[in-house]
Short mmCIF file of all heavy atoms in Angstrom, two decimals:
data_model
loop_
_atom_site.label_atom_id
_atom_site.label_comp_id
_atom_site.label_asym_id
_atom_site.label_seq_id
_atom_site.Cartn_x
_atom_site.Cartn_y
_atom_site.Cartn_z
N MET E 1 -11.43 -1.01 1.18
CA MET E 1 -11.10 0.11 0.45
C MET E 1 -12.40 0.73 -0.14
O MET E 1 -13.25 -0.10 -0.48
CB MET E 1 -10.16 -0.18 -0.70
CG MET E 1 -9.62 0.97 -1.54
SD MET E 1 -8.57 0.71 -2.92
CE MET E 1 -7.78 -0.81 -2.54
N SER E 2 -12.63 1.98 -0.17
CA SER E 2 -13.73 2.60 -0.78
C SER E 2 -13.31 3.81 -1.69
O SER E 2 -12.26 4.39 -1.45
CB SER E 2 -14.72 3.00 0.25
OG SER E 2 -14.22 3.97 1.19
N ASN E 3 -14.24 4.15 -2.58
CA ASN E 3 -13.90 5.37 -3.39
C ASN E 3 -14.63 6.55 -2.84
O ASN E 3 -15.24 6.51 -1.78
CB ASN E 3 -14.36 5.12 -4.89
CG ASN E 3 -15.89 4.83 -4.98
OD1 ASN E 3 -16.66 5.18 -4.17
ND2 ASN E 3 -16.25 4.26 -6.12
N GLU E 4 -14.51 7.70 -3.50
CA GLU E 4 -15.01 8.99 -2.97
C GLU E 4 -16.56 8.95 -2.90
O GLU E 4 -17.13 9.70 -2.17
CB GLU E 4 -14.46 10.17 -3.78
CG GLU E 4 -15.13 10.34 -5.10
CD GLU E 4 -14.38 9.39 -6.22
OE1 GLU E 4 -13.39 8.75 -5.85
OE2 GLU E 4 -14.81 9.56 -7.30
N CYS E 5 -17.22 8.03 -3.58
CA CYS E 5 -18.71 7.94 -3.53
C CYS E 5 -19.14 7.00 -2.38
O CYS E 5 -20.30 6.80 -2.20
CB CYS E 5 -19.13 7.42 -4.88
SG CYS E 5 -18.96 8.56 -6.21
N GLY E 6 -18.17 6.37 -1.67
CA GLY E 6 -18.45 5.45 -0.60
C GLY E 6 -18.74 4.06 -1.01
O GLY E 6 -19.16 3.20 -0.27
N ASP E 7 -18.49 3.71 -2.26
CA ASP E 7 -18.55 2.39 -2.84
C ASP E 7 -17.46 1.61 -2.36
O ASP E 7 -16.31 2.03 -2.35
CB ASP E 7 -18.57 2.39 -4.37
CG ASP E 7 -19.73 3.16 -4.90
OD1 ASP E 7 -20.86 3.10 -4.40
OD2 ASP E 7 -19.59 3.82 -5.92
N THR E 8 -17.66 0.34 -1.78
CA THR E 8 -16.63 -0.53 -1.35
C THR E 8 -15.95 -1.32 -2.53
O THR E 8 -16.70 -1.70 -3.41
CB THR E 8 -17.26 -1.59 -0.33
OG1 THR E 8 -17.76 -0.91 0.69
CG2 THR E 8 -16.20 -2.52 0.03
N LEU E 9 -14.65 -1.20 -2.53
CA LEU E 9 -13.85 -1.89 -3.55
C LEU E 9 -13.14 -2.96 -2.78
O LEU E 9 -12.50 -2.76 -1.85
CB LEU E 9 -12.86 -0.80 -4.22
CG LEU E 9 -13.49 0.43 -4.73
CD1 LEU E 9 -12.42 1.41 -5.12
CD2 LEU E 9 -14.50 0.16 -5.88
N SER E 10 -13.14 -4.15 -3.42
CA SER E 10 -12.42 -5.35 -2.84
C SER E 10 -11.18 -5.62 -3.67
O SER E 10 -11.37 -5.77 -4.87
CB SER E 10 -13.39 -6.56 -2.74
OG SER E 10 -14.44 -6.22 -1.87
N VAL E 11 -10.08 -5.96 -2.95
CA VAL E 11 -8.86 -6.36 -3.59
C VAL E 11 -8.31 -7.46 -2.86
O VAL E 11 -8.09 -7.47 -1.67
CB VAL E 11 -7.84 -5.20 -3.67
CG1 VAL E 11 -6.46 -5.76 -4.27
CG2 VAL E 11 -8.33 -4.08 -4.39
N ARG E 12 -8.13 -8.63 -3.50
CA ARG E 12 -7.66 -9.89 -2.91
C ARG E 12 -6.15 -9.68 -2.62
O ARG E 12 -5.37 -9.33 -3.56
CB ARG E 12 -7.86 -11.10 -3.76
CG ARG E 12 -7.42 -12.30 -3.10
CD ARG E 12 -7.65 -13.54 -3.91
NE ARG E 12 -9.03 -13.90 -3.68
CZ ARG E 12 -9.57 -14.99 -4.12
NH1 ARG E 12 -9.01 -15.78 -4.77
NH2 ARG E 12 -10.90 -15.25 -3.83
N LEU E 13 -5.80 -9.78 -1.34
CA LEU E 13 -4.34 -9.73 -1.06
C LEU E 13 -3.78 -11.14 -0.59
O LEU E 13 -4.56 -11.85 0.06
CB LEU E 13 -4.15 -8.75 0.14
CG LEU E 13 -4.65 -7.27 -0.17
CD1 LEU E 13 -4.47 -6.46 1.01
CD2 LEU E 13 -3.79 -6.72 -1.39
N PHE E 14 -2.63 -11.40 -0.98
CA PHE E 14 -2.01 -12.66 -0.61
C PHE E 14 -0.82 -12.46 0.25
O PHE E 14 0.03 -11.54 0.13
CB PHE E 14 -1.51 -13.42 -1.91
CG PHE E 14 -2.62 -13.77 -2.89
CD1 PHE E 14 -2.95 -12.82 -3.92
CD2 PHE E 14 -3.39 -14.86 -2.74
CE1 PHE E 14 -4.04 -13.05 -4.68
CE2 PHE E 14 -4.41 -15.12 -3.47
CZ PHE E 14 -4.67 -14.24 -4.55
N LEU E 15 -0.58 -13.37 1.27
CA LEU E 15 0.51 -13.21 2.15
C LEU E 15 1.80 -13.41 1.47
O LEU E 15 2.00 -14.59 0.79
CB LEU E 15 0.33 -14.20 3.32
CG LEU E 15 1.24 -14.09 4.56
CD1 LEU E 15 1.24 -12.64 5.09
CD2 LEU E 15 1.06 -15.08 5.55
N GLU E 16 2.75 -12.48 1.65
CA GLU E 16 4.09 -12.61 0.99
C GLU E 16 5.15 -12.22 2.14
O GLU E 16 5.36 -11.00 2.26
CB GLU E 16 4.20 -11.77 -0.26
CG GLU E 16 3.39 -12.23 -1.43
CD GLU E 16 3.71 -11.47 -2.69
OE1 GLU E 16 4.68 -10.58 -2.68
OE2 GLU E 16 3.08 -11.73 -3.64
N GLY E 17 5.58 -13.10 2.85
CA GLY E 17 6.49 -12.87 3.98
C GLY E 17 5.75 -12.07 5.03
O GLY E 17 4.79 -12.51 5.64
N ASP E 18 6.27 -10.91 5.34
CA ASP E 18 5.63 -10.02 6.39
C ASP E 18 4.72 -9.02 5.81
O ASP E 18 4.43 -8.04 6.50
CB ASP E 18 6.75 -9.36 7.24
CG ASP E 18 7.58 -8.39 6.37
OD1 ASP E 18 7.47 -8.39 5.10
OD2 ASP E 18 8.46 -7.68 6.93
N ARG E 19 4.20 -9.17 4.64
CA ARG E 19 3.30 -8.24 4.06
C ARG E 19 2.16 -8.95 3.31
O ARG E 19 2.38 -10.14 2.98
CB ARG E 19 3.89 -7.29 3.21
CG ARG E 19 4.57 -7.94 1.94
CD ARG E 19 5.52 -7.01 1.20
NE ARG E 19 6.12 -7.73 0.19
CZ ARG E 19 5.90 -7.75 -1.06
NH1 ARG E 19 4.79 -7.11 -1.53
NH2 ARG E 19 6.53 -8.46 -2.00
N GLU E 20 1.18 -8.28 2.97
CA GLU E 20 0.15 -8.82 2.01
C GLU E 20 0.25 -7.94 0.80
O GLU E 20 0.42 -6.79 0.79
CB GLU E 20 -1.23 -8.66 2.66
CG GLU E 20 -1.49 -9.43 3.95
CD GLU E 20 -2.79 -9.07 4.57
OE1 GLU E 20 -2.76 -8.00 5.36
OE2 GLU E 20 -3.79 -9.75 4.39
N ALA E 21 0.16 -8.76 -0.41
CA ALA E 21 0.27 -8.00 -1.69
C ALA E 21 -0.75 -8.42 -2.70
O ALA E 21 -1.29 -9.60 -2.66
CB ALA E 21 1.63 -8.40 -2.26
N GLY E 22 -1.10 -7.62 -3.65
CA GLY E 22 -2.08 -7.81 -4.65
C GLY E 22 -1.82 -6.96 -5.76
O GLY E 22 -0.87 -6.33 -5.95
N LEU E 23 -2.81 -6.97 -6.63
CA LEU E 23 -2.71 -6.25 -8.00
C LEU E 23 -4.03 -5.45 -8.21
O LEU E 23 -5.03 -6.09 -7.96
CB LEU E 23 -2.46 -7.34 -9.12
CG LEU E 23 -2.69 -6.77 -10.50
CD1 LEU E 23 -1.52 -5.83 -10.91
CD2 LEU E 23 -2.76 -7.93 -11.47
N VAL E 24 -3.93 -4.24 -8.59
CA VAL E 24 -5.07 -3.55 -9.07
C VAL E 24 -4.69 -3.00 -10.46
O VAL E 24 -3.64 -2.74 -10.72
CB VAL E 24 -5.50 -2.33 -8.12
CG1 VAL E 24 -6.01 -2.87 -6.86
CG2 VAL E 24 -4.39 -1.37 -7.91
N VAL E 25 -5.72 -2.83 -11.25
CA VAL E 25 -5.46 -2.21 -12.66
C VAL E 25 -6.32 -0.99 -12.75
O VAL E 25 -7.46 -1.10 -12.55
CB VAL E 25 -5.87 -3.24 -13.74
CG1 VAL E 25 -5.57 -2.64 -15.10
CG2 VAL E 25 -4.97 -4.56 -13.61
N ILE E 26 -5.64 0.18 -13.03
CA ILE E 26 -6.36 1.37 -13.19
C ILE E 26 -6.09 1.98 -14.52
O ILE E 26 -4.89 2.14 -14.93
CB ILE E 26 -5.86 2.44 -12.08
CG1 ILE E 26 -6.16 1.81 -10.68
CG2 ILE E 26 -6.60 3.72 -12.17
CD1 ILE E 26 -5.43 2.55 -9.52
N ASP E 27 -7.10 2.18 -15.40
CA ASP E 27 -6.98 2.72 -16.67
C ASP E 27 -5.96 1.82 -17.48
O ASP E 27 -5.10 2.34 -18.21
CB ASP E 27 -6.50 4.15 -16.66
CG ASP E 27 -7.58 5.12 -16.17
OD1 ASP E 27 -8.75 4.77 -16.22
OD2 ASP E 27 -7.18 6.24 -15.67
N GLY E 28 -5.96 0.55 -17.29
CA GLY E 28 -5.15 -0.31 -18.04
C GLY E 28 -3.75 -0.56 -17.61
O GLY E 28 -2.95 -1.27 -18.16
N ILE E 29 -3.39 0.15 -16.48
CA ILE E 29 -1.97 0.16 -15.91
C ILE E 29 -2.04 -0.69 -14.59
O ILE E 29 -2.89 -0.42 -13.66
CB ILE E 29 -1.55 1.48 -15.56
CG1 ILE E 29 -1.40 2.42 -16.89
CG2 ILE E 29 -0.14 1.41 -14.96
CD1 ILE E 29 -1.17 3.80 -16.69
N PRO E 30 -1.13 -1.80 -14.53
CA PRO E 30 -1.21 -2.56 -13.29
C PRO E 30 -0.42 -1.90 -12.20
O PRO E 30 0.61 -1.29 -12.46
CB PRO E 30 -0.45 -3.93 -13.70
CG PRO E 30 0.40 -3.38 -14.92
CD PRO E 30 -0.40 -2.28 -15.54
N TYR E 31 -0.98 -2.00 -10.99
CA TYR E 31 -0.35 -1.36 -9.89
C TYR E 31 -0.14 -2.51 -8.75
O TYR E 31 -0.96 -3.38 -8.53
CB TYR E 31 -1.14 -0.31 -9.22
CG TYR E 31 -1.21 0.99 -10.00
CD1 TYR E 31 -2.09 1.03 -11.12
CD2 TYR E 31 -0.43 2.05 -9.64
CE1 TYR E 31 -2.19 2.20 -11.87
CE2 TYR E 31 -0.52 3.24 -10.43
CZ TYR E 31 -1.40 3.31 -11.51
OH TYR E 31 -1.48 4.40 -12.21
N HIS E 32 1.03 -2.47 -8.03
CA HIS E 32 1.18 -3.17 -6.78
C HIS E 32 0.36 -2.61 -5.78
O HIS E 32 0.28 -1.34 -5.62
CB HIS E 32 2.62 -3.18 -6.26
CG HIS E 32 3.65 -3.69 -7.15
ND1 HIS E 32 4.05 -5.01 -7.16
CD2 HIS E 32 4.45 -3.10 -7.99
CE1 HIS E 32 5.03 -5.15 -8.05
NE2 HIS E 32 5.31 -4.03 -8.60
N ILE E 33 -0.27 -3.42 -4.93
CA ILE E 33 -0.88 -2.91 -3.72
C ILE E 33 -0.37 -3.70 -2.51
O ILE E 33 -0.45 -4.98 -2.70
CB ILE E 33 -2.47 -2.91 -3.79
CG1 ILE E 33 -3.07 -2.32 -2.41
CG2 ILE E 33 -3.01 -4.23 -4.04
CD1 ILE E 33 -4.53 -2.00 -2.57
N GLU E 34 0.23 -3.07 -1.62
CA GLU E 34 0.84 -3.81 -0.46
C GLU E 34 0.36 -3.26 0.83
O GLU E 34 0.19 -2.05 1.01
CB GLU E 34 2.40 -3.71 -0.51
CG GLU E 34 2.90 -4.28 -1.73
CD GLU E 34 4.39 -4.16 -1.79
OE1 GLU E 34 5.08 -4.07 -0.79
OE2 GLU E 34 5.03 -4.38 -2.89
N ARG E 35 -0.02 -4.19 1.70
CA ARG E 35 -0.37 -3.86 3.06
C ARG E 35 0.67 -4.39 4.02
O ARG E 35 1.02 -5.60 3.97
CB ARG E 35 -1.74 -4.51 3.39
CG ARG E 35 -2.25 -4.24 4.83
CD ARG E 35 -3.65 -4.71 5.00
NE ARG E 35 -4.18 -4.42 6.31
CZ ARG E 35 -4.12 -5.08 7.38
NH1 ARG E 35 -3.50 -6.35 7.35
NH2 ARG E 35 -4.66 -4.71 8.43
N MET E 36 1.22 -3.42 4.80
CA MET E 36 2.36 -3.85 5.65
C MET E 36 2.34 -2.99 6.93
O MET E 36 1.71 -2.01 6.92
CB MET E 36 3.71 -3.67 4.88
CG MET E 36 4.05 -2.26 4.52
SD MET E 36 5.44 -2.12 3.41
CE MET E 36 4.65 -2.48 1.94
N ARG E 37 3.17 -3.43 7.85
CA ARG E 37 3.23 -2.57 9.09
C ARG E 37 3.87 -1.31 8.81
O ARG E 37 4.78 -1.23 7.92
CB ARG E 37 4.12 -3.36 10.19
CG ARG E 37 3.35 -4.46 10.76
CD ARG E 37 3.72 -4.76 12.22
NE ARG E 37 2.82 -5.66 12.85
CZ ARG E 37 1.69 -5.29 13.43
NH1 ARG E 37 1.31 -4.02 13.39
NH2 ARG E 37 0.92 -6.28 13.95
N ARG E 38 3.53 -0.25 9.53
CA ARG E 38 4.05 1.13 9.28
C ARG E 38 5.57 1.03 9.37
O ARG E 38 6.22 1.68 8.51
CB ARG E 38 3.45 2.04 10.40
CG ARG E 38 3.94 3.45 10.23
CD ARG E 38 3.16 4.25 11.28
NE ARG E 38 3.55 5.65 11.11
CZ ARG E 38 4.05 6.46 11.98
NH1 ARG E 38 4.30 5.92 13.14
NH2 ARG E 38 4.29 7.70 11.79
N GLU E 39 6.13 0.41 10.30
CA GLU E 39 7.62 0.37 10.48
C GLU E 39 8.25 -0.36 9.32
O GLU E 39 9.35 0.12 8.85
CB GLU E 39 7.98 -0.39 11.81
CG GLU E 39 7.44 0.21 13.05
CD GLU E 39 5.91 -0.10 13.35
OE1 GLU E 39 5.42 -0.98 12.82
OE2 GLU E 39 5.38 0.71 14.04
N THR E 40 7.65 -1.37 8.79
CA THR E 40 8.18 -2.00 7.57
C THR E 40 8.21 -1.13 6.41
O THR E 40 9.22 -0.98 5.62
CB THR E 40 7.43 -3.19 7.21
OG1 THR E 40 7.39 -4.05 8.38
CG2 THR E 40 7.94 -3.98 6.02
N MET E 41 7.19 -0.34 6.25
CA MET E 41 7.04 0.59 5.05
C MET E 41 8.12 1.61 5.12
O MET E 41 8.83 1.99 4.25
CB MET E 41 5.65 1.24 4.95
CG MET E 41 5.58 2.08 3.64
SD MET E 41 3.98 2.91 3.56
CE MET E 41 4.26 4.37 4.37
N MET E 42 8.30 2.14 6.38
CA MET E 42 9.25 3.26 6.54
C MET E 42 10.73 2.78 6.36
O MET E 42 11.52 3.57 5.87
CB MET E 42 9.10 3.90 7.92
CG MET E 42 7.77 4.65 8.19
SD MET E 42 7.52 6.02 6.99
CE MET E 42 8.78 7.16 7.50
N SER E 43 10.94 1.57 6.64
CA SER E 43 12.31 1.07 6.52
C SER E 43 12.62 0.54 5.02
O SER E 43 13.78 0.52 4.67
CB SER E 43 12.56 -0.13 7.51
OG SER E 43 11.84 -1.35 7.04
N ARG E 44 11.59 0.25 4.26
CA ARG E 44 11.89 -0.28 2.92
C ARG E 44 11.72 0.68 1.79
O ARG E 44 12.18 0.58 0.76
CB ARG E 44 10.95 -1.51 2.70
CG ARG E 44 11.30 -2.74 3.41
CD ARG E 44 10.46 -3.87 2.91
NE ARG E 44 10.65 -4.99 3.76
CZ ARG E 44 9.94 -6.13 3.72
NH1 ARG E 44 8.98 -6.26 2.89
NH2 ARG E 44 10.26 -7.14 4.55
N TYR E 45 10.80 1.67 2.11
CA TYR E 45 10.37 2.58 0.99
C TYR E 45 10.71 4.04 1.40
O TYR E 45 10.53 4.44 2.49
CB TYR E 45 8.94 2.53 0.67
CG TYR E 45 8.58 1.14 0.18
CD1 TYR E 45 7.96 0.22 1.02
CD2 TYR E 45 8.77 0.79 -1.15
CE1 TYR E 45 7.61 -1.04 0.54
CE2 TYR E 45 8.37 -0.41 -1.57
CZ TYR E 45 7.87 -1.42 -0.73
OH TYR E 45 7.52 -2.66 -1.19
N ARG E 46 11.05 4.87 0.45
CA ARG E 46 11.23 6.30 0.64
C ARG E 46 9.92 6.88 0.07
O ARG E 46 9.75 6.99 -1.11
CB ARG E 46 12.35 6.87 -0.04
CG ARG E 46 12.57 8.34 0.11
CD ARG E 46 13.85 8.88 -0.46
NE ARG E 46 14.03 10.23 -0.16
CZ ARG E 46 15.17 10.77 0.16
NH1 ARG E 46 16.24 10.04 0.04
NH2 ARG E 46 15.21 12.10 0.44
N VAL E 47 9.08 7.33 0.91
CA VAL E 47 7.70 7.84 0.51
C VAL E 47 7.78 9.34 0.48
O VAL E 47 7.06 9.89 -0.42
CB VAL E 47 6.72 7.34 1.55
CG1 VAL E 47 5.24 7.83 1.18
CG2 VAL E 47 6.70 5.84 1.61
N ASP E 48 8.40 10.01 1.31
CA ASP E 48 8.38 11.45 1.35
C ASP E 48 9.82 11.96 1.82
O ASP E 48 10.38 11.43 2.60
CB ASP E 48 7.36 11.98 2.30
CG ASP E 48 6.95 13.39 2.09
OD1 ASP E 48 7.89 14.26 2.20
OD2 ASP E 48 5.77 13.70 1.96
N GLU E 49 10.24 13.11 1.23
CA GLU E 49 11.52 13.67 1.76
C GLU E 49 11.51 14.35 3.06
O GLU E 49 12.53 14.62 3.68
CB GLU E 49 12.09 14.65 0.61
CG GLU E 49 12.27 13.91 -0.73
CD GLU E 49 13.42 14.39 -1.39
OE1 GLU E 49 14.23 15.28 -0.86
OE2 GLU E 49 13.61 14.04 -2.62
N ASP E 50 10.31 14.73 3.55
CA ASP E 50 10.08 15.37 4.76
C ASP E 50 10.58 14.42 5.91
O ASP E 50 9.98 13.26 6.17
CB ASP E 50 8.63 15.66 5.02
CG ASP E 50 8.37 16.37 6.32
OD1 ASP E 50 9.30 16.54 7.18
OD2 ASP E 50 7.20 16.79 6.48
N PRO E 51 11.56 14.78 6.68
CA PRO E 51 12.07 13.85 7.80
C PRO E 51 11.01 13.63 8.90
O PRO E 51 11.05 12.60 9.62
CB PRO E 51 13.30 14.55 8.32
CG PRO E 51 13.20 15.94 7.90
CD PRO E 51 12.34 15.98 6.67
N ASP E 52 10.01 14.51 9.00
CA ASP E 52 8.94 14.33 9.93
C ASP E 52 7.72 13.47 9.41
O ASP E 52 6.76 13.38 10.13
CB ASP E 52 8.50 15.64 10.44
CG ASP E 52 9.64 16.42 11.22
OD1 ASP E 52 10.40 15.66 11.95
OD2 ASP E 52 9.64 17.63 11.09
N TYR E 53 7.89 13.00 8.15
CA TYR E 53 6.78 12.21 7.60
C TYR E 53 6.53 11.00 8.36
O TYR E 53 7.38 10.27 8.69
CB TYR E 53 6.99 11.94 6.18
CG TYR E 53 5.95 11.05 5.54
CD1 TYR E 53 4.69 11.44 5.17
CD2 TYR E 53 6.29 9.61 5.40
CE1 TYR E 53 3.83 10.60 4.56
CE2 TYR E 53 5.32 8.79 4.78
CZ TYR E 53 4.03 9.32 4.45
OH TYR E 53 3.19 8.44 3.91
N GLY E 54 5.18 10.77 8.69
CA GLY E 54 4.81 9.56 9.33
C GLY E 54 3.46 9.16 8.66
O GLY E 54 2.49 9.91 8.68
N PRO E 55 3.44 7.99 7.99
CA PRO E 55 2.20 7.54 7.28
C PRO E 55 1.07 7.25 8.27
O PRO E 55 1.39 6.74 9.42
CB PRO E 55 2.60 6.42 6.51
CG PRO E 55 3.80 5.81 7.30
CD PRO E 55 4.51 7.02 7.88
N ARG E 56 -0.15 7.42 7.90
CA ARG E 56 -1.27 7.01 8.71
C ARG E 56 -1.34 5.46 8.61
O ARG E 56 -0.97 4.88 7.63
CB ARG E 56 -2.57 7.57 8.11
CG ARG E 56 -2.60 9.02 8.31
CD ARG E 56 -3.94 9.45 7.82
NE ARG E 56 -4.17 10.93 8.05
CZ ARG E 56 -5.22 11.57 7.87
NH1 ARG E 56 -6.33 10.96 7.51
NH2 ARG E 56 -5.25 12.90 8.05
N SER E 57 -1.82 4.92 9.73
CA SER E 57 -1.97 3.50 9.72
C SER E 57 -3.26 3.14 10.45
O SER E 57 -3.85 3.97 11.10
CB SER E 57 -0.83 2.82 10.48
OG SER E 57 -0.80 3.30 11.87
N ASP E 58 -3.77 1.92 10.21
CA ASP E 58 -5.01 1.54 10.90
C ASP E 58 -4.77 1.25 12.34
O ASP E 58 -3.58 1.33 12.86
CB ASP E 58 -5.69 0.28 10.20
CG ASP E 58 -4.83 -0.95 10.15
OD1 ASP E 58 -3.88 -1.04 10.95
OD2 ASP E 58 -5.10 -1.87 9.35
N THR E 59 -5.79 0.76 13.06
CA THR E 59 -5.61 0.53 14.51
C THR E 59 -4.64 -0.64 14.84
O THR E 59 -4.13 -0.69 16.01
CB THR E 59 -6.98 0.28 15.15
OG1 THR E 59 -7.58 -0.85 14.53
CG2 THR E 59 -7.98 1.45 15.04
N GLN E 60 -4.34 -1.42 13.85
CA GLN E 60 -3.36 -2.53 14.02
C GLN E 60 -2.00 -2.12 13.61
O GLN E 60 -1.17 -2.95 13.65
CB GLN E 60 -3.84 -3.82 13.38
CG GLN E 60 -5.11 -4.28 13.78
CD GLN E 60 -5.71 -5.42 12.99
OE1 GLN E 60 -5.26 -5.60 11.92
NE2 GLN E 60 -6.59 -6.12 13.49
N GLY E 61 -1.75 -0.81 13.14
CA GLY E 61 -0.46 -0.35 12.67
C GLY E 61 -0.02 -0.73 11.24
O GLY E 61 1.10 -0.60 10.87
N PHE E 62 -1.05 -1.07 10.49
CA PHE E 62 -0.80 -1.40 8.99
C PHE E 62 -1.11 -0.27 8.13
O PHE E 62 -2.09 0.58 8.35
CB PHE E 62 -1.65 -2.60 8.59
CG PHE E 62 -1.15 -3.96 9.09
CD1 PHE E 62 -1.56 -4.43 10.31
CD2 PHE E 62 -0.19 -4.61 8.36
CE1 PHE E 62 -1.13 -5.66 10.78
CE2 PHE E 62 0.27 -5.84 8.81
CZ PHE E 62 -0.24 -6.35 9.94
N CYS E 63 -0.29 -0.11 7.10
CA CYS E 63 -0.45 0.90 5.99
C CYS E 63 -0.63 0.16 4.66
O CYS E 63 -0.27 -0.99 4.50
CB CYS E 63 0.86 1.78 5.86
SG CYS E 63 1.33 2.70 7.29
N VAL E 64 -1.16 0.90 3.73
CA VAL E 64 -1.34 0.41 2.27
C VAL E 64 -0.58 1.32 1.41
O VAL E 64 -0.64 2.56 1.55
CB VAL E 64 -2.75 0.23 1.96
CG1 VAL E 64 -2.85 -0.14 0.53
CG2 VAL E 64 -3.46 -0.80 2.84
N ILE E 65 0.27 0.71 0.50
CA ILE E 65 0.91 1.49 -0.48
C ILE E 65 0.50 0.98 -1.82
O ILE E 65 0.43 -0.17 -2.03
CB ILE E 65 2.47 1.55 -0.30
CG1 ILE E 65 3.14 2.54 -1.24
CG2 ILE E 65 2.99 0.11 -0.46
CD1 ILE E 65 4.62 2.70 -0.80
N ILE E 66 0.25 1.88 -2.84
CA ILE E 66 -0.04 1.48 -4.18
C ILE E 66 0.98 2.12 -5.15
O ILE E 66 1.14 3.35 -5.09
CB ILE E 66 -1.54 1.98 -4.59
CG1 ILE E 66 -2.51 1.38 -3.58
CG2 ILE E 66 -1.85 1.61 -6.04
CD1 ILE E 66 -3.91 1.79 -3.73
N ALA E 67 1.66 1.29 -5.97
CA ALA E 67 2.64 1.88 -6.89
C ALA E 67 2.58 1.10 -8.19
O ALA E 67 2.30 -0.11 -8.27
CB ALA E 67 4.00 1.64 -6.31
N PRO E 68 2.77 1.78 -9.26
CA PRO E 68 2.65 1.14 -10.68
C PRO E 68 3.92 0.20 -10.84
O PRO E 68 4.98 0.40 -10.27
CB PRO E 68 2.85 2.25 -11.61
CG PRO E 68 3.47 3.43 -10.87
CD PRO E 68 3.14 3.28 -9.42
N TYR E 69 3.63 -0.80 -11.49
CA TYR E 69 4.69 -1.75 -11.98
C TYR E 69 5.68 -1.14 -12.94
O TYR E 69 5.22 -0.18 -13.52
CB TYR E 69 4.07 -3.00 -12.74
CG TYR E 69 3.42 -4.06 -11.90
CD1 TYR E 69 2.27 -3.97 -11.32
CD2 TYR E 69 4.11 -5.29 -11.66
CE1 TYR E 69 1.64 -5.00 -10.59
CE2 TYR E 69 3.66 -6.29 -10.89
CZ TYR E 69 2.37 -6.18 -10.38
OH TYR E 69 1.86 -7.10 -9.58
N ALA E 70 6.91 -1.53 -12.97
CA ALA E 70 7.83 -0.90 -13.82
C ALA E 70 7.55 -1.26 -15.34
O ALA E 70 6.90 -2.30 -15.50
CB ALA E 70 9.21 -1.44 -13.50
N GLU E 71 7.86 -0.45 -16.16
CA GLU E 71 7.58 -0.82 -17.76
C GLU E 71 8.48 -1.92 -18.15
O GLU E 71 9.62 -2.06 -17.73
CB GLU E 71 7.82 0.57 -18.41
CG GLU E 71 6.70 1.48 -18.18
CD GLU E 71 6.68 2.70 -19.14
OE1 GLU E 71 6.79 2.38 -20.33
OE2 GLU E 71 6.60 3.83 -18.68
#
């Protein structure tokens, strides 16, 4: 992962079933970060209401999603 300045950011991910998961903290708020196959993300999460939405994935077919923890 890198920021807009091109600095590399490292996040440790741990295998959890068919995905890798980790934690990032932004401005004091914890976020889930998950790396999973594109098909898995589309079947488990509603990301966009557009029926033609298709997330970008890497050359191996993996996507990353970042979402805040519940309060």
